Amino acid sequence: MRGYGGSELSAAHAAWSLDVLADDVLAVADAAGLDRVHLVGESIGGTIALYCAIRNPERVRTLTVSNGGHVGASIQRVQAWKRTIDQQGIKAWSDQFMRDRFHDKALDADRYRWYAAMQEGWKRDAILDAIGVLVGTDLSSRLGEVGCPALLMHPDGSPFIPVDAVLDLYKRLPDARLQVIAHARHGMPFSHAGECARLLRAFLDDTCP
């Protein structure tokens, strides 16, 4: 994602959109010389991956969505995050978000500190611009256009996307399998990394032997 890790952040308040972020994904595939990819998206990355599979079906061999959805965020959430960041700082926002990501004692102390430190390094505009892309997004009417096999991995305790929402996504996709992972929140790919990796490996083995 733009503004995370080693990726540069474009000018503040630039016009981010699903099209812009999908273009970024395909630019990475192009740079790697890949015509078709096994695309895995997490959180907002799951929504971007869904959109890639709809918009550029010839580029996506399989689709995996991890704790992501086809219907986006509300403006209220964006406003709440902005208020917390601007009034209390990134660390205060991150401290709140960590409770949304992990159950108590889901991680040992070292892994918890590492994850919190990485999250506290995120840039304000990258956080707000990314979630802003999700506001009003609804891919429901186009999900039938996804022509590749899809795997949906979802936590049973997401504070953002209830299980009923991912069930709706599952029913709308032509060729999908769903696995709900117990005792997990929005940080599922980290707290339940081994289980997620095994599910993905089995999915790829089944669909692309």
Side-chain angles (χ1 to χ4, degrees):
M1 285 286 288
R2 298 172 175 223
Y4 295 81
S7 296
E8 294 181 359
L9 180 63
S10 55
H13 310 301
W16 288 34
S17 68
L18 275 180
D19 282 301
V20 167
L21 298 177
D23 286 344
D24 286 349
V25 172
L26 297 180
V28 173
D30 290 342
L34 301 173
D35 292 329
R36 298 181 71 209
V37 297
H38 299 286
L39 187 55
V40 181
E42 186 268 336
S43 189
I44 183 178
T47 309
I48 296 165
L50 275 168
Y51 187 64
C52 282
I54 291 167
R55 195 191 69 166
N56 300 94
E58 75 284 356
R59 302 295 303 272
V60 182
R61 189 174 181 190
T62 65
L63 170 69
T64 299
V65 176
S66 173
N67 56 300
H70 59 302
V71 178
S74 68
I75 190 65
Q76 288 81 9
R77 190 190 310 164
V78 178
Q79 292 170 339
W81 281 16
K82 182 179 185 298
R83 186 165 52 250
T84 299
I85 292 170
D86 289 346
Q87 294 178 359
Q88 302 176 52
I90 291 289
K91 186 179 188 311
W93 167 82
S94 178
D95 287 346
Q96 293 178 14
F97 201 12
M98 289 295 283
R99 293 192 289 273
D100 290 330
R101 287 195 181 278
F102 305 111
H103 287 287
D104 291 344
K105 299 182 180 179
L107 304 176
D108 61 48
D110 287 341
R111 294 173 75 215
Y112 188 95
R113 282 193 294 266
W114 178 87
Y115 200 104
M118 295 298 102
Q119 186 166 269
E120 290 162 19
W122 293 357
K123 300 175 180 67
R124 172 194 182 276
D125 288 336
I127 296 167
L128 297 177
D129 287 344
I131 192 174
V133 170
L134 294 177
V135 173
T137 293
D138 188 346
L139 301 177
S140 300
S141 65
R142 300 194 63 187
L143 292 174
E145 300 173 40
V146 176
C148 63
L151 169 65
L152 308 177
M153 297 186 290
H154 203 74
D156 65 346
S158 170
F160 306 123
I161 306 170
V163 171
D164 284 350
V166 80
L167 279 171
D168 181 62
L169 171 58
Y170 167 70
K171 291 174 183 177
R172 291 173 183 269
L173 290 169
D175 181 8
R177 61 182 71 181
L178 168 64
Q179 180 67 54
V180 176
I181 295 179
H183 200 61
R185 289 182 177 163
H186 200 65
M188 177 190 73
F190 190 70
S191 60
H192 295 68
E195 186 172 356
C196 290
R198 287 190 292 273
L199 288 168
L200 176 59
R201 181 72 269 168
F203 168 65
L204 296 176
D205 287 344
D206 285 348
T207 55
C208 304

